[in-house]
Amino acid sequence: MPRELLKLNNKKGGFGILEIVIVVAIIGIVVFGFGQVGQLAFRLSSVSSAKIESAFIIQEGMEGVRFLRDRGWDQNINLISPDTDYYLTFSGTDYLLQTTTAPLIQGIFTRTIQFSDVYRDAQDTIIGGTSGTLDPSTKKVKVTVSWLDRAAPYSQSAEFYITNLYQN
């Protein structure tokens, strides 16, 4: 009888090694999967953070354009060439619009501002395109912020209208 038990135990010996190899492979796959999920989460967190930051930079651009409008429509807004990229800079006391590329904002972001002429129909409603009557007291403004994240380009933009509110 002891020989039969010994033979039975010998047959099961190889099966334990196979179980260990399978368990180690499963653990390796799980650990690799967690690493990939962590890496993806970090990348998405980085992109999300940049999108939030770009929204603040867009808002600053909008406020800068409104500031220039308030300081004087004729000298700041009316002389702007339509559909040209402008860069908003702050000189310490005043905002300025320039056509030369401004340095990167926080070393990452580029903000461009474009002005477009506005046309109205007979009912004084703003219409798209160039048909209708040109409204010299209203401009359409598009603020765009773009950046690179791991060599992938991203951009966000906002459009709004400004008018010669103070007739200045």
Side-chain angles (χ1 to χ4, degrees), residues 57 87-90 98 100-112 146:
I57 294 170
Y87 302 93
L88 184 70
T89 58
F90 190 70
Q98 58 189 28
T100 57
T101 305
L104 293 175
I105 300 168
Q106 297 179 0
I108 300 171
F109 302 97
T110 301
R111 177 179 49 214
T112 58
S146 56

Side-chain angles (χ1 to χ4, degrees), residues 65-113:
V65 170
R66 288 185 188 112
F67 176 82
L68 290 171
R69 183 237 5 231
D70 295 350
R71 297 274 302 193
W73 179 270
D74 290 332
Q75 68 262 27
N76 293 319
I77 305 298
N78 206 27
L79 300 176
I80 296 293
S81 300
D83 303 319
T84 302
D85 285 342
Y86 285 90
Y87 302 93
L88 184 70
T89 58
F90 190 70
S91 68
T93 58
D94 214 358
Y95 281 105
L96 303 169
L97 288 172
Q98 58 189 28
T99 55
T100 57
T101 305
L104 293 175
I105 300 168
Q106 297 179 0
I108 300 171
F109 302 97
T110 301
R111 177 179 49 214
T112 58
I113 300 174

Side-chain angles (χ1 to χ4, degrees), residues 15-25:
F15 189 66
I17 293 174
L18 182 61
E19 286 176 339
I20 291 172
V21 169
I22 290 173
V23 168
V24 168

